[in-house]
Each structure stands twice: as structure tokens, then as C-alpha cells.
Amino acid sequence: MLGQYLWLIPLGFAVGIFGTLIGVGGGVILVPVLLLLYPDKSPEAITGISLAVVFFNSLSGSAAYARMKRIDYKSGLRFALATVPGAILGALTTHYIPRQLFEGSFGLLMIAAAIFLMIRPEKSRSRSQEYPDYYTTSTIIDSQGTRYSFSYNSYIGILLSFLIGYISSLLGIGGGIIHVPVLVHILNFPTHIATATSHFVLVVTSLTGTVVHIASSQVLAGVALIITLSIGVILGAQFGAKLSTRFRDKSIMRLLAVTLGIVGLRILIMAFY
């Protein structure tokens, strides 16, 4: 039975590379592909399978980013814990949403995020800028010796992480596609730290959503899909993390924006075709 799904390993490999490169876990690519390949499956089954694969992708990618010393663990743990209740709520409400509404909402969300990333310029960060006492300041020095220093409002970060946990689990996208822009444009994270930390948060978010979907028995029917896709994403995530060192911050954000726009438009057309 597993043999007929082996062709999905290269797909998983590509998802792993691209998802890790831009810090989104790959769900934004995987969900529309699964919707196209398996139109008979329910939204709940699609999200469950996608979240399981995103978990293995984010776990592999996080291991690679950990070796590169680009993960802000303190902030990542804080945000990850905030996503847990949202992810549980999202997984529990997936089956209440009709498929057309599910696909339409997903497409609109992707297009809106793409426009936001395209029209909003990169923030300039001044080292001398003063922040309120309740802001959290982090300093990260990666394996190449590059120093990153930034400050952010942790209360806003926690609130947004809860909402991201809900939306990501509801749509089966893992949350990185939303978390990376939030970290960069709202919480002042440098792009490379944002993609790595987002991947770390995805481990907890996607695992939580997957466990809830398993409890509802929706994921069990897609075990073969999960295994073959996960083999690919585990290998691809390692390559994607290494590839990220060759991309500038702006290039990663533009790549993320273009991907969002293409995927969002395709899934929106499919929803109302």
C-alpha cells in the first residue's frame, strides 16, 4: 500500500526546501496540492495530514537552524505556548466549516498577506532607539558570528501567537506563513531570526494540531501519505536551512510574498470554479 505513494517523496523534498527557506513549514504549499490531488477528502482530513507533515518538516528544519544558532529560544517558547490553546480550538472547529468556505477563506488570507508584504517596506532598526520597560530585548549571535539585537512587545507577541495558532490549525498551514510576517513587521525580528524562530514555534503548534486531529480519527486514514511526504520534507528541510544563508532578508520576504499570491489566487479560483 505504501509503495503507491512513493512518488510523493520528491514532492515532500521540494516542500521541505521551500518551507524551511522562508520559515513557513510548507503547509501553505501542501494544503492546495492535497486539495487538488485528493478532492474527495474532507477539509479536516487535509488539515490533519498537512499538519502532521509540517511537524516533521519544522522538527528537521529547527534542528538545522539550531546548529546555525539562529533560533531565539526564549521568545520561541513563549510564543509556542501561546499557540497551543489556539491550535486546539482551531483543530476542533475545522469540521464545522464547509469546503467552499474553507478554500475561499484560505485563498483570501494568502492574497491579503502577499499584498501586505509587497507594499510594506522593510523597517529600519536603530540600535539607539529606546523602548518601554515592558519590551523584551534579545541578542542572538549565529554560528557565522553575525550579531542580531532587537526589542519587541511580548504581550502583543503572545496575543498574536494565540490567534495564529487558531488560524494555522484551522487551515492546516502550520502558522509560519503568518508568523514570519508578524515577527518581522510587527515584532521587529530580523528576517533570518524570524524564519528560524518561526520554525521552532511550528514544532509545538503543528504537533498540537496533529494530536487533536488524530483524536478525531481524521489523520489515521492518511498515514501512508504522511509517511512518504515526511520522508521528503525531513531531507528537504536540511537543504532549505543551508540554502537560506545565500538569501538576503528582502529576497526571502519577496519570495514569501510571491508564493502567497500565487497559491492564494489558485486556491481562490478552485473554491469558486
Side-chain angles (χ1 to χ4, degrees):
M1 179 181 177
L2 190 61
Q4 63 180 311
Y5 296 105
L6 290 179
W7 66 273
L8 291 174
I9 293 179
L11 172 62
F13 184 75
V15 169
I17 292 176
F18 195 74
T20 302
L21 174 63
I22 59 179
V24 303
V28 65
I29 305 169
L30 195 55
V31 169
V33 170
L34 291 177
L35 287 170
L36 287 170
L37 294 176
Y38 304 100
D40 58 320
K41 290 188 178 298
S42 67
E44 189 173 6
I46 294 294
T47 55
I49 292 169
S50 175
L51 283 172
V53 176
V54 167
F55 166 71
F56 288 106
N57 187 13
S58 58
L59 186 64
S60 177
S62 293
Y65 280 129
R67 292 193 297 270
M68 298 165 67
K69 298 182 179 180
R70 286 185 171 178
I71 299 174
D72 182 352
Y73 291 102
K74 180 179 178 181
S75 301
L77 285 172
R78 183 179 294 167
F79 297 153
L81 290 175
T83 65
V84 170
I88 293 174
L89 186 61
L92 290 175
T93 56
T94 301
H95 65 281
Y96 291 110
I97 300 179
R99 187 179 180 92
Q100 187 179 46
L101 178 60
F102 170 80
E103 295 176 352
S105 300
F106 183 81
L108 288 173
L109 177 64
M110 299 301 100
I111 293 173
I115 295 173
F116 173 83
L117 292 179
M118 280 294 194
I119 65 176
R120 179 159 183 170
E122 186 75 14
K123 284 186 177 181
S124 59
R125 298 180 177 86
S126 174
R127 293 184 178 181
S128 61
Q129 183 176 355
E130 294 184 359
Y131 295 94
D133 293 337
Y134 58 85
Y135 269 53
T136 296
T137 299
S138 294
T139 299
I140 305 292
I141 301 176
D142 67 15
S143 60
Q144 296 181 332
T146 304
R147 182 185 181 89
Y148 303 91
S149 186
F150 53 98
S151 298
Y152 65 92
N153 188 323
S154 58
Y155 298 108
I156 292 179
I158 290 172
L159 175 60
L160 291 175
S161 293
F162 170 81
L163 296 175
I164 290 168
Y166 174 77
I167 295 172
S168 64
S169 187
L170 180 70
L171 298 177
I173 58 176
I177 200 71
I178 310 170
H179 224 157
V180 172
V182 165
L183 291 175
V184 173
H185 289 285
I186 298 179
L187 300 182
N188 302 315
F189 275 59
T191 300
H192 283 296
I193 302 301
T195 53
T197 304
S198 170
H199 240 59
F200 177 68
V201 174
L202 276 173
V203 175
V204 176
T205 308
S206 57
L207 177 61
T208 302
T210 300
V211 169
V212 177
H213 280 288
I214 289 176
S216 65
S217 302
Q218 288 294 322
V219 178
L220 299 180
V223 170
L225 288 173
I226 294 171
I227 292 175
T228 50
L229 285 168
S230 295
I231 292 172
V233 298
I234 288 172
L235 298 174
Q238 296 295 312
F239 189 75
K242 292 181 180 179
L243 192 61
S244 69
T245 60
R246 302 185 180 183
F247 281 75
R248 299 177 60 185
D249 291 2
K250 290 183 179 179
S251 298
I252 292 177
M253 297 309 293
R254 286 172 181 170
L255 189 59
L256 176 59
V258 172
T259 303
L260 283 171
I262 294 174
V263 172
L265 183 60
R266 179 67 186 91
I267 203 69
L268 195 61
I269 293 173
M270 186 172 63
F272 297 100
Y273 181 73

